[in-house]
Amino acid sequence: QLQVVESGGGTVQSGGSLRLSCAISGGDSHNLHRYAIGWFRQVPGKEREGVSCISMSDRSTYYSDFVKGRFTISRDSAKATVYLQMNSLDPEDAADYYCGADFLLRPLNGVTPVQFMCEGPGQIGIWGQGTQVSVSS
């Protein structure tokens, strides 16, 4: 199993930037290329939603519509770390942000593995404890 630990959350004013990190470790880290890593967020009263996901095999990515053009997901395989660069933050982006990990899975309907992961957080098998992002108006 893998373990993931988030960091980098904090408070920023509207329009500012934050960079979140997801550090990956565990006994299956030598098979990291078999996994997809994703960032998800949750606010009180709402379901956890996908933000952006990345394949640890080919670096393919997926972005939810509400972050396209503002957020960038990237990976550093040597450091076993996935980053989420968040720019132009809006108060609506305030949430608890979670890193999730699961095996790459290719659906039969043509959806990519990273899209499938981001659209189905209820199926994610490995979660971090979350990091809080607050955005002031």
Side-chain angles (χ1 to χ4, degrees), residues 38-41 49-53 62-68 71 84 86 97 118:
W39 286 100
F40 302 79
R41 69 188 188 186
E49 63 181 356
V51 176
S52 183
C53 297
Y62 176 83
Y63 294 93
S64 297
D65 289 341
F66 53 83
V67 302
K68 287 181 178 177
F71 292 6
L84 184 68
M86 305 186 295
Y97 282 72
C118 262

Side-chain angles (χ1 to χ4, degrees), residues 42-53:
Q42 189 170 24
V43 298
K46 297 188 67 177
E47 298 293 319
R48 190 169 299 183
E49 63 181 356
V51 176
S52 183
C53 297

Side-chain angles (χ1 to χ4, degrees), residues 5 12 17 26 31 37 39 45-46 49 53 89 106 116 123:
V5 179
V12 65
S17 299
N31 288 320
I37 307 294
W39 286 100
K46 297 188 67 177
E49 63 181 356
C53 297
L89 283 164
R106 181 169 294 279
F116 182 77
Q123 302 300 117

Side-chain angles (χ1 to χ4, degrees), residues 62-114:
Y62 176 83
Y63 294 93
S64 297
D65 289 341
F66 53 83
V67 302
K68 287 181 178 177
R70 299 188 298 125
F71 292 6
T72 302
I73 192 169
S74 62
R75 71 175 192 180
D76 186 333
S77 295
K79 296 181 179 179
T81 302
V82 172
Y83 304 97
L84 184 68
Q85 179 67 46
M86 305 186 295
N87 298 326
S88 301
L89 283 164
D90 186 271
E92 295 180 355
D93 296 314
D96 290 329
Y97 282 72
Y98 296 87
C99 183
D102 214 333
F103 292 110
L104 286 160
L105 178 65
R106 181 169 294 279
L108 298 177
N109 62 359
V111 174
T112 66
V114 286

Side-chain angles (χ1 to χ4, degrees), residues 2 28 31-38 53-62 75 100-108 111-118 123-126:
L2 297 184
D28 203 35
N31 288 320
L32 193 58
H33 63 280
R34 298 170 56 192
Y35 288 85
I37 307 294
C53 297
I54 188 168
S55 169
M56 300 304 287
S57 176
D58 62 3
R59 296 187 181 183
S60 60
T61 60
Y62 176 83
R75 71 175 192 180
D102 214 333
F103 292 110
L104 286 160
L105 178 65
R106 181 169 294 279
L108 298 177
V111 174
T112 66
V114 286
Q115 180 180 356
F116 182 77
M117 183 187 200
C118 262
Q123 302 300 117
I124 305 301
I126 303 170

